[in-house]
Amino acid sequence: GSTLLRLGRADDAIPDLSFMIEKGGDKVLPADYGNRAIALTEVGRQSEAAADFAKVETLASARIAADGGKDASDFINRAFARALTGNPDGAFADASQALSISPNDGAAFHARALAYAGKKDTANALADFAKAISLGRKGFILRQRGDLYLAAGLPELAIADYQAQLNLAPGNALATAGLEKAKQAMAAKLLATAGAPQGGNPPAASGSQQAL
């Protein structure tokens, strides 16, 4: 299930991850719930994903309390859960703690990028996305960075990331929707640029207003 998710095959990953969660007993880890939550998010089943992210928070917190916070993965899993459920400050704290334990962990940079994005800190989010990608981080990171580019008014960069994500995960619904929004934003941006006055001269008056 984890491998299928890394390959961008969220639909195929869900049954295997569910089997593990249902049958794994005490071998089930926060990451199993986290992976299924991410897969559910990618296929549009957000309410189910929220329940799994809540389970990640509970299990990871218990593990951190039990071992004194020695395992970076527990902080990373909780950081993703918090970042993707509207708690960017908590996610940032967890991702930063993970990086203090494991300074070159691509997943920790990825989680912190999502936290920065949630805090509307675009520059630091982009820096962490780039670092995570340089460390080999895969999954749906390109689509997530595309979302950030789109929100920052950079549709041309968003288009490139969404298309790259779709090359890796054909048919991904969120990347497909994002690509369409980015293309619309790019068209509007080009139209606004084309309609701007050139050379500082005001446009000639006419009897009717021109649609923008």
Side-chain angles (χ1 to χ4, degrees):
S2 299
T3 299
L4 289 167
L5 188 61
R6 285 195 295 271
L7 292 171
R9 294 167 56 186
D11 277 312
D12 295 330
I14 291 170
D16 281 352
L17 293 167
S18 296
F19 184 87
M20 175 60 190
I21 289 167
E22 292 164 8
K23 305 294 184 182
D26 60 4
K27 294 182 180 180
V28 179
L29 298 172
D32 297 316
Y33 282 99
N35 284 334
R36 189 172 70 174
I38 290 169
L40 289 167
T41 297
E42 293 300 318
V43 299
R45 294 161 62 180
Q46 280 83 358
S47 61
E48 295 170 77
D52 275 358
F53 281 133
K55 193 69 174 178
V56 173
E57 175 107 20
T58 299
L59 290 177
S61 296
R63 286 169 58 90
I64 290 167
D67 71 3
K70 297 177 181 178
D71 190 340
S73 68
D74 291 323
F75 289 103
I76 292 169
N77 288 320
R78 194 170 68 177
F80 275 108
R82 289 176 168 179
L84 296 170
T85 55
N87 182 5
D89 290 328
F92 177 81
D94 277 349
S96 297
Q97 182 62 31
L99 286 168
S100 74
I101 300 169
S102 182
N104 291 307
D105 195 309
F109 280 105
H110 184 180
R112 196 171 70 173
L114 293 173
Y116 274 130
K119 290 160 67 72
K120 311 300 182 186
D121 186 343
T122 300
N124 280 317
L126 289 174
D128 273 0
F129 273 129
K131 183 66 173 178
I133 291 168
S134 75
L135 290 170
R137 184 68 176 168
K138 298 186 185 297
F140 301 97
I141 190 169
L142 292 170
R143 192 267 303 163
Q144 291 164 341
R145 190 174 68 172
D147 291 345
L148 182 61
Y149 278 138
L150 184 58
L154 298 167
E156 62 277 15
L157 297 176
I159 288 170
D161 270 358
Y162 288 135
Q163 190 59 64
Q165 184 69 75
L166 288 168
N167 291 341
L168 295 172
N172 179 262
L174 295 181
T176 299
L179 180 60
E180 182 59 30
K181 290 177 182 177
K183 287 180 176 179
Q184 292 173 3
M186 189 67 199
K189 186 175 181 178
L190 291 172
L191 184 60
T193 301
Q198 301 296 317
N201 295 321
S206 65
S208 62
Q209 290 186 333
Q210 191 172 26
L212 298 179

